[in-house]
Amino acid sequence: MTQSNNSSDHGAYHQHSALFNAFFAISMTVGRGPVGRCVADLAGLTPDDQVVDIGCGPGTAVRVAAGRCANATGVDPSPTMLRFGRWLNALGRTRNVALVQGSAERIPLPDHDATVLWALSSVHHWSNRADGLAEAVRVLAPNGRLLLVERLVKPGAHGGLTGDQVDQLMSDVEAAGFTDVYRDTQSAGRRVLNVVRGSRGPAN
Ligand SMILES: C[S@@+](CC[C@H](N)C(=O)[O-])C[C@H]1O[C@@H](n2cnc3c(N)ncnc32)[C@H](O)[C@@H]1O
C-alpha cells in the first residue's frame, strides 16, 4: 500500500493542548481491543484484504486488522495519536501496518487502495461527512466494504450518534453511492455499537 504524506490541512481537527491530547491518546487504548476484534470479525477479513482505518486514534483496531490481512493503514489528523500509535506498533513489533496523518475529508492514499475501509467512533468528529464519504468511495477498490461504527448516545450527549443520526448516516452513505446499506447493533465487551455497512459496488 502506498501513501503520500501531505500534512498541510487535515480538515477541521481542533488543536487541543498537548497534555489533553496525550491523555486522550492514552484513554483511546483502554477497552478498545474488543471493538477492534468485533469490527474485524464483521468485516470478514481475509489474508488478501487491505484495510484502512479512518480516525484510527492510537491504532488499536489497525493492529488487530494487521494480524488478519495483507496490510493495514490508520489515518488520523492528530500527531499525538499517531506518535503514540507508532510507539505501540514498535513495542508490539507489528509489521504490515502504517499510521499516516490525514483526515476523512482528505485521505492521503491513492484511488482503489483498500478492500475494507472502516471508521470507529470517528464519524461524529468528521467536519464534512459528504467529503469524507466521497473519499471513502475513491479509496475503496470495486466491491470494497465500508463499516462505520458509532456508540449509540441519547439526544444531546456527546461521543457517538443518536438513533436519528444513525438513520441520517445511512441516508448519507446511500447518497454517496454505496449499495447494500444496512445498520445493526453489536456488542463488543461492555459497549453496544451501531454499525452501518455498505458496499462500494463494482463500478470503477
Ligand atoms: C474517539 S477517537 C476514536 C479512535 C479510534 N478509532 C478508536 O476507536 O479507538 C476519534 C478519533 O477521530 C479523529 N478525528 C478527528 N477529526 C477527524 C477527521 N476529520 N477525520 C478523521 N479522523 C478524525 C481524532 O483525532 C481521534 O483520534
Side-chain angles (χ1 to χ4, degrees):
M1 195 176 285
T2 53
Q3 66 250 340
S4 67
N5 210 1
N6 177 3
S7 62
S8 54
D9 174 11
H10 297 295
Y13 175 70
H14 186 67
Q15 297 292 323
H16 297 282
S17 73
L19 189 62
F20 176 90
N21 281 332
F23 177 76
F24 190 43
I26 292 166
S27 75
M28 279 299 110
T29 62
V30 179
R32 307 309 261 207
V35 178
R37 289 190 289 277
C38 175
V39 72
D41 289 345
L42 296 176
L45 294 188
T46 72
D48 292 332
D49 275 317
Q50 304 193 157
V51 175
V52 171
D53 179 338
I54 302 298
C56 62
T60 306
V62 187
R63 285 181 290 278
V64 172
R68 303 187 187 189
C69 70
N71 55 56
T73 303
V75 176
D76 202 283
S78 163
T80 310
M81 292 285 186
L82 296 170
R83 206 174 302 124
F84 187 46
R86 287 173 187 142
W87 180 76
L88 291 172
N89 288 349
L91 203 67
R93 298 186 183 178
T94 316
R95 290 177 296 177
N96 66 328
V97 68
L99 299 181
V100 298
Q101 192 172 27
S103 67
E105 298 80 9
R106 192 174 294 185
I107 302 174
L109 297 172
D111 298 356
H112 301 174
D113 204 39
T115 58
V116 174
L117 183 146
W118 69 45
L120 315 182
S121 299
S122 99
V123 170
H124 69 273
H125 286 280
W126 296 3
S127 55
N128 187 315
R129 188 180 293 169
D131 286 354
L133 290 171
E135 277 289 82
V137 171
R138 181 185 68 77
V139 169
L140 275 170
N143 296 316
R145 292 105 79 195
L146 175 79
L147 295 95
L148 304 177
V149 179
E150 288 285 334
R151 276 181 52 216
L152 185 68
V153 297
K154 294 189 174 144
H158 298 288
L161 297 179
T162 65
D164 287 349
Q165 288 169 333
V166 176
D167 288 340
Q168 181 60 51
L169 177 59
M170 281 187 65
S171 302
D172 294 341
V173 168
E174 282 169 339
F178 286 92
T179 59
D180 304 323
V181 179
Y182 66 101
R183 67 181 277 192
D184 59 4
T185 304
Q186 301 284 335
S187 295
R190 284 182 293 162
R191 290 181 167 81
V192 177
L193 308 172
N194 274 285
V195 186
V196 173
R197 287 184 252 191
S199 167
R200 186 194 175 280
N204 265 325

